[in-house]
Amino acid sequence: MSHRYKSHIFIGFGLVVAVISFYLYIQFTHTSSFQTFLSWSKENIVIFCITIFVLKVIGTVYPPLPGGLLTLGAIPIIGWFPAYVIDFLGSATAGSIDYYLGYKYGMPFLKKILDQGTLESIQRLKIKKDKELESIFVMRLLLGSTIIEAINYGAGLLKVSYKNFLLGSIGSHLLYGIPAFYVGESLIKGENVVYSLISIVFTVFIFWKIKGRYFE
């Protein structure tokens, strides 16, 4: 099986799992258990926000734990924009940690903390020295929802300029994160469902068309 075919399977599987998980969470928001959790969260909003932030960071530094879905799950409790801000800050913090670990300790260390799939994704990254910022921006924009840890660690491993890494990461997060969280709130509320689904399909289509330029 070719590396390209395996990467398609890996990324596609990640997208399917994310969609199914989000759908199941939407169903959970209509249960009495969620209403109990909602009441507790609103009464302890500071603790809730700090917890979500910490889990977002941990989930991005250590891939087996879900980071992004947790912040999306906070939308019914604190609204899409506060949830996005937490995701943004958590992503920037975790990305910097990932970058430093990859830059400082290299592949021998990463083999101790990452699964084989993530390691293979890192090894297939293509980042041109004269287009570091563009490469990070495009990869985070198109692949970030599925292999964000690989991009973060890989940027450090490949000695990408931290400035270019950070600017590319921030730019892509703003571009895809704000619409994603806004659409997420619409889906949870059952509003603009058709528009939201069209947006998702269009995004996935663009992803499949041009991702090969930066990821084998």
Side-chain angles (χ1 to χ4, degrees):
M1 185 181 295
S2 67
H3 286 310
R4 181 178 293 274
Y5 182 69
K6 287 192 291 185
S7 70
H8 286 180
I9 294 177
F10 174 73
I11 295 168
F13 178 76
L15 288 171
V16 170
V17 171
V19 171
I20 292 176
S21 299
F22 190 63
Y23 172 78
L24 293 176
Y25 178 75
I26 292 176
Q27 300 306 307
F28 173 66
T29 61
H30 299 298
T31 65
S32 58
S33 297
F34 177 78
Q35 296 305 315
T36 301
F37 175 69
L38 178 63
S39 299
W40 178 90
S41 300
K42 289 185 176 297
E43 293 173 0
N44 301 273
I45 194 66
V46 175
I47 295 176
F48 174 79
C49 291
I50 293 175
T51 300
I52 292 298
F53 170 79
V54 171
L55 291 176
K56 168 67 179 182
V57 172
I58 294 175
T60 305
V61 173
Y62 187 61
L65 298 177
L69 291 178
L70 291 174
T71 46
L72 278 172
I75 291 176
I77 299 168
I78 59 177
W80 76 266
F81 187 71
Y84 170 74
V85 171
I86 294 175
D87 188 85
F88 176 84
L89 296 176
S91 179
T93 301
S96 296
I97 294 173
D98 292 347
Y99 174 91
Y100 174 79
L101 292 175
Y103 188 97
K104 181 72 174 179
Y105 300 106
M107 187 59 74
F109 174 76
L110 298 185
K111 288 181 178 179
K112 297 178 181 180
I113 64 172
L114 301 177
D115 60 272
Q116 187 61 35
T118 303
L119 290 172
E120 291 178 356
S121 298
I122 291 174
Q123 293 171 335
R124 293 196 296 272
L125 292 180
K126 299 189 297 181
I127 300 178
K128 298 179 180 179
K129 285 298 181 183
D130 59 334
K131 294 184 178 181
E132 288 183 347
L133 195 156
E134 175 193 351
S135 297
I136 294 298
F137 178 85
V138 172
M139 286 191 294
R140 283 289 298 263
L141 180 63
L142 300 179
L143 306 173
S145 62
T146 53
I147 58 167
I148 186 173
E149 302 86 3
I151 297 171
N152 295 341
Y153 284 114
L157 185 68
L158 297 175
K159 309 301 182 185
V160 170
S161 162
Y162 178 69
K163 176 183 177 181
N164 289 335
F165 167 73
L166 188 61
L167 289 176
S169 299
I170 289 175
S172 63
H173 198 289
L174 290 170
L175 188 58
Y176 79 77
I178 292 177
F181 275 73
Y182 179 78
V183 168
E185 184 173 68
S186 297
L187 290 174
I188 290 173
K189 292 182 176 180
E191 302 173 350
N192 303 317
V193 174
V194 174
Y195 169 77
S196 299
L197 292 176
I198 292 175
S199 299
I200 293 172
V201 171
F202 178 76
T203 301
V204 171
F205 173 76
I206 295 297
F207 158 72
W208 284 109
K209 292 296 290 184
I210 68 175
K211 77 180 183 64
R213 181 179 178 185
Y214 298 97
F215 187 78
E216 295 181 342

